[in-house]
Amino acid sequence: MKTQTKTEVRNSTARAEKLLRGIDNETKSIDQRMEKVKANIGEVAKILSGISNTALSGTDQKPAPAKKPVAAQKATPKAAAPK
């Protein structure tokens, strides 16, 4: 097994520290995103509840009465425009 020099040890330590900082930063970022997701879950629940209530209230209504056909209008010739 090869012995590492001081420079190699220092470089390896610096890489490990950088990797750990990156993991820590990602963890914080994920925590922030999770808070946003939790807030959005509440909003989605409210919207779905409203949609469900609207759909249920729509089934209780009586259908609109069918419209009677409009009586055929007699075509009247337009008067010629004066020149």
Side-chain angles (χ1 to χ4, degrees), residues 43-57:
E43 290 296 319
V44 170
K46 288 178 188 176
I47 291 170
L48 288 176
S49 175
I51 291 171
S52 177
N53 290 341
T54 303
L56 291 174
S57 68

Side-chain angles (χ1 to χ4, degrees), residues 32-46:
Q32 290 172 350
R33 286 187 227 146
M34 287 300 296
E35 291 300 320
K36 289 180 183 177
V37 168
K38 288 177 185 177
N40 289 340
I41 287 172
E43 290 296 319
V44 170
K46 288 178 188 176

Side-chain angles (χ1 to χ4, degrees), residues 74-82:
K74 294 182 182 179
T76 55
K78 295 183 179 179

Side-chain angles (χ1 to χ4, degrees), residues 57-65:
S57 68
T59 58
D60 295 339
Q61 296 176 356
K62 296 179 182 177

Side-chain angles (χ1 to χ4, degrees), residues 4-68:
Q4 292 183 337
T5 64
K6 286 184 179 181
T7 305
E8 290 173 335
V9 170
R10 188 176 29 215
N11 288 343
S12 296
T13 304
R15 286 187 196 128
E17 287 176 359
K18 184 176 179 181
L19 179 63
L20 290 174
R21 274 194 309 267
I23 291 171
D24 187 46
N25 289 341
E26 273 303 306
T27 303
K28 290 177 185 176
S29 173
I30 289 171
D31 288 341
Q32 290 172 350
R33 286 187 227 146
M34 287 300 296
E35 291 300 320
K36 289 180 183 177
V37 168
K38 288 177 185 177
N40 289 340
I41 287 172
E43 290 296 319
V44 170
K46 288 178 188 176
I47 291 170
L48 288 176
S49 175
I51 291 171
S52 177
N53 290 341
T54 303
L56 291 174
S57 68
T59 58
D60 295 339
Q61 296 176 356
K62 296 179 182 177
K67 293 184 178 181
K68 296 179 183 178

